[in-house]
């Protein structure tokens, strides 16, 4: 009865238009008051403890680093380097756009930020070069999803905090799948461009490539500092986030000089707004997870699935369907914090690696970013192109076949995900 009341209230609150964070918190409080055994004092203590989680401290720092990189000219320099490198190929500007999304994802940690930073520059350029606006919007909308897969990813930090999984291993696990998805998108564009004879850019000289690479060097060093520092044992993911924020500030203000000291307070305010929004969702979702755990809901579900003698591959089908449907209606952070406490113990009993499960979840949430009705990348792309949501959905939909195929590959070939984290380099 308690379980049914909790989920019924959650979905009713969301259906009437209540923000996800408020719906999570309110349904949790009402469930405890009406059916549970905890006191309100214990709930307030749980919310305070949740906000103090050491791993979650990485989020504001990664958000701040992304804000400095987005506000500065880092994206513009990365795009210039990508165009110089691959612009001469068939569909070169579109391929360069995906490459730029891969590069910027490695410094932003956010999918919408990647779409805004890269898309606001390249979509108009692609249209001027002879691509249709629909094609350009579809490419960027889907390539922008790499922002939550390629490390540093805020979504992976949240999963790590929710399941007590190593964030360092999750970051390393996201590298190969992220690069593979970027390559598959570029390959699909190249094949399509050859068939449709899409425009090509003039071949850049080696000197132009070298100059563009040098200009984007300081931005690209951020990913080296983060992953190198974490995997080299120099600092924890949270410390890496703090270092990345200081480094991004230094590069934006003193190296590239795209931001003056007078603009820094506004960047701090913008980053604070995003952080407050994310933390409010996270704390309420952790409160929801606390109610689930208190009522032994995950354990009961796990015991039931084990009793059904469900194989690991069958369970992963259920996971994918559940997450694909959930991704249509909720943003990634909320989904992870609601479903991870339920799915994680079952996966452990079935012998599924927690790092592998984390990447499967993130790939599902990538697809959710480009599926209606709540796909965030759709709204961001519509905002920067002035297209309607319906037009963006039609533009992004053909690429879903590629994303779904990639999901199947990641789900059933765990070596793609686990190869790098298990590689002993140090």
């Amino acid at each position: 009865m308690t379980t049914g009341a909790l989920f019924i209230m959650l979905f009713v609150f969301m259906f009437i238009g209540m923000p996800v964070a408020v719906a999570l918190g309110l349904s949790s409080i009402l469930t405890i008051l009406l059916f549970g055994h905890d006191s309100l004092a214990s709930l307030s203590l749980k919310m305070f403890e949740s906000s103090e989680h050491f791993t979650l401290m990485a989020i504001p720092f990664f958000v701040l680093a992304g804000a400095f990189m987005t506000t500065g000219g880092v994206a513009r320099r990365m795009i210039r380097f990508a165009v110089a490198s691959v612009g001469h190929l068939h569909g070169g500007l579109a391929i360069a756009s995906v490459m730029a999304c891969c590069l910027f994802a490695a410094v932003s940690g956010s999918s919408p930020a990647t779409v805004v930073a890269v898309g606001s520059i390249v979509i108009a350029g692609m249209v001027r070069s002879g691509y249709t606006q629909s094609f350009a919007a579809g490419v960027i909308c889907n390539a922008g999803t790499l922002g939550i897969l390629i490390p540093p990813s805020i979504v992976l930090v949240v999963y790590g905090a929710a399941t007590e999984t190593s964030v360092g291993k999750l970051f390393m696990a996201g590298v190969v799948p992220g690069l593979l998805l970027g390559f598959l998108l570029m390959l699909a564009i190249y094949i399509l461009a050859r068939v449709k004879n899409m425009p090509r850019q003039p071949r850049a000289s080696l000197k132009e490539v070298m100059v563009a690479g040098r200009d984007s060097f300081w931005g690209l060093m951020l990913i080296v500092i983060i992953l190198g520092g974490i995997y080299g044992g120099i600092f924890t993911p949270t410390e890496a986030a703090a270092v990345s924020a200081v480094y991004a500030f230094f590069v934006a203000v003193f190296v590239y000089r795209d931001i003056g000291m007078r603009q820094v307070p506004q960047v701090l305010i913008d980053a604070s707004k995003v952080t407050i929004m994310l933390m409010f969702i996270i704390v309420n979702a952790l409160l929801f997870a606390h109610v689930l755990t208190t009522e032994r809901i995950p354990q009961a579900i796990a015991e039931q699935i084990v009793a059904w003698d469900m194989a690991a591959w069958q369970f992963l089908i259920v996971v994918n369907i559940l997450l694909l449907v959930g991704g249509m209606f909720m943003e990634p952070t909320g989904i992870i914090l609601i479903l991870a406490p339920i799915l994680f113990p079952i996966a452990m009993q079935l012998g599924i690696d927690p790092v592998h499960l984390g990447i499967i979840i993130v790939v599902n949430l990538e697809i959710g970013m480009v599926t209606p009705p709540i796909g965030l990348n759709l709204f961001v792309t519509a905002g920067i192109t002035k297209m309607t949501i319906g037009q963006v959905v039609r533009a992004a939909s053909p690429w879903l076949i590629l994303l779904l195929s990639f999901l199947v590959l990641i789900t059933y070939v765990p070596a793609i995900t686990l190869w790098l984290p298990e590689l002993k380099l140090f």
Side-chain angles (χ1 to χ4, degrees):
M1 181 178 179
T2 304
T3 306
L6 177 65
F7 282 98
I8 288 172
M9 283 191 285
L10 173 64
F11 291 125
V12 168
F13 291 152
M14 290 174 58
F15 181 75
I16 63 177
M18 191 176 289
V20 172
V22 177
L24 287 167
L26 185 58
S27 60
S28 302
I29 292 171
L30 290 176
T31 299
I32 291 297
L33 285 176
L34 299 174
F35 307 102
H37 306 290
D38 281 0
S39 64
L40 285 179
S42 70
L43 291 183
S44 60
L45 181 62
K46 181 61 183 178
M47 292 185 73
F48 182 75
E49 289 176 350
S50 299
S51 62
E52 279 195 320
H53 201 296
F54 182 71
T55 305
L56 293 178
M57 290 174 62
I59 292 176
F61 291 117
F62 279 134
V63 170
L64 182 58
F68 277 118
M69 290 297 187
T70 305
T71 307
V74 176
R76 186 178 68 252
R77 291 176 173 85
M78 289 180 173
I79 292 167
R80 181 185 169 199
F81 173 60
V83 172
S85 301
V86 298
H88 59 279
L89 301 173
H90 284 281
L93 193 52
I95 294 174
S97 300
V98 176
M99 182 177 173
C101 285
C102 291
L103 296 175
F104 193 78
V107 300
S108 71
S110 166
S111 182
T114 303
V115 174
V116 170
V118 177
S120 58
I121 299 172
V122 301
I123 290 178
M126 289 171 70
V127 172
R128 285 196 298 270
S129 299
Y131 297 85
T132 65
Q133 187 183 45
S134 177
F135 178 81
V139 167
I140 296 301
C141 186
N142 284 271
T145 62
L146 292 165
I148 63 171
L149 180 58
I150 295 178
S153 164
I154 293 172
V155 173
L156 285 176
V157 172
V158 173
Y159 173 82
T163 61
E164 301 294 335
T165 302
S166 167
V167 175
K169 286 187 176 181
L170 287 168
F171 278 4
M172 297 305 294
V175 173
V176 174
L179 294 178
L180 177 60
L181 179 55
F183 171 77
L184 292 175
L185 285 168
M186 288 187 275
L187 180 63
I189 291 170
Y190 179 75
I191 294 172
L192 194 61
R194 289 295 299 265
V195 172
K196 295 191 174 184
N197 195 28
M198 290 183 180
R200 304 168 67 173
Q201 303 294 112
R203 180 183 289 272
S205 66
L206 180 60
K207 181 180 179 181
E208 289 174 322
V209 175
M210 295 296 288
V211 169
R214 183 193 64 195
D215 287 345
S216 62
F217 170 79
W218 291 101
L220 295 176
M221 276 300 293
L222 181 63
I223 185 63
V224 177
I225 291 171
I226 293 171
L227 288 185
I230 293 173
Y231 210 57
I234 300 172
F235 35 61
T236 67
T238 302
E239 292 165 347
V243 170
S244 72
V246 175
Y247 177 82
F249 163 76
F250 179 80
V251 169
V253 176
F254 298 109
V255 178
Y256 289 150
R257 298 182 180 179
D258 294 312
I259 302 174
M261 289 301 295
R262 291 183 177 180
Q263 296 170 275
V264 170
Q266 186 58 49
V267 175
L268 293 173
I269 291 171
D270 292 341
S272 299
K273 290 177 181 177
V274 175
T275 300
I276 290 169
M277 177 192 69
L278 286 173
M279 292 304 294
F280 185 62
I281 294 172
I282 288 168
V283 169
N284 280 284
L286 287 175
L287 180 60
F288 186 86
H290 169 68
V291 176
L292 289 177
T293 305
T294 301
E295 300 299 324
R296 296 195 78 256
I297 296 171
Q299 294 89 332
I301 297 174
E303 290 166 3
Q304 184 60 58
I305 289 181
V306 171
W308 288 340
D309 199 25
M310 185 179 286
W313 68 270
Q314 294 171 317
F315 170 70
L316 289 176
I317 292 176
V318 175
V319 169
N320 285 335
I321 294 173
L322 191 62
L323 290 167
L324 287 173
V325 174
M328 295 179 181
F329 300 97
M330 293 180 63
E331 58 86 38
T333 303
I335 293 177
I336 285 179
L337 291 170
I338 292 172
L339 294 182
I342 298 174
L343 301 176
F344 187 79
I346 305 171
M348 296 307 97
Q349 290 198 41
L350 294 175
I352 298 169
D353 190 281
V355 174
H356 182 213
L357 178 67
I359 299 302
I360 291 172
I361 291 175
V362 170
V363 173
N364 274 284
L365 299 181
E366 280 190 293
I367 297 172
M369 300 288 280
V370 292
T371 50
I374 312 293
L376 192 54
N377 280 18
L378 300 174
F379 290 93
V380 174
T381 305
I384 61 177
T385 59
K386 308 303 179 186
M387 298 168 66
T388 66
I389 292 296
Q391 290 173 325
V392 176
V393 169
R394 286 192 293 273
S397 295
W399 301 95
L400 284 177
I401 299 172
L402 178 61
L403 293 182
L404 290 169
S405 302
F406 177 72
L407 172 62
V408 173
L409 185 66
I410 290 298
T411 301
Y412 293 108
V413 187
I416 297 173
T417 297
L418 300 177
W419 172 75
L420 193 56
E422 292 176 351
L423 188 64
K424 303 298 182 184
L425 295 177
F426 299 94

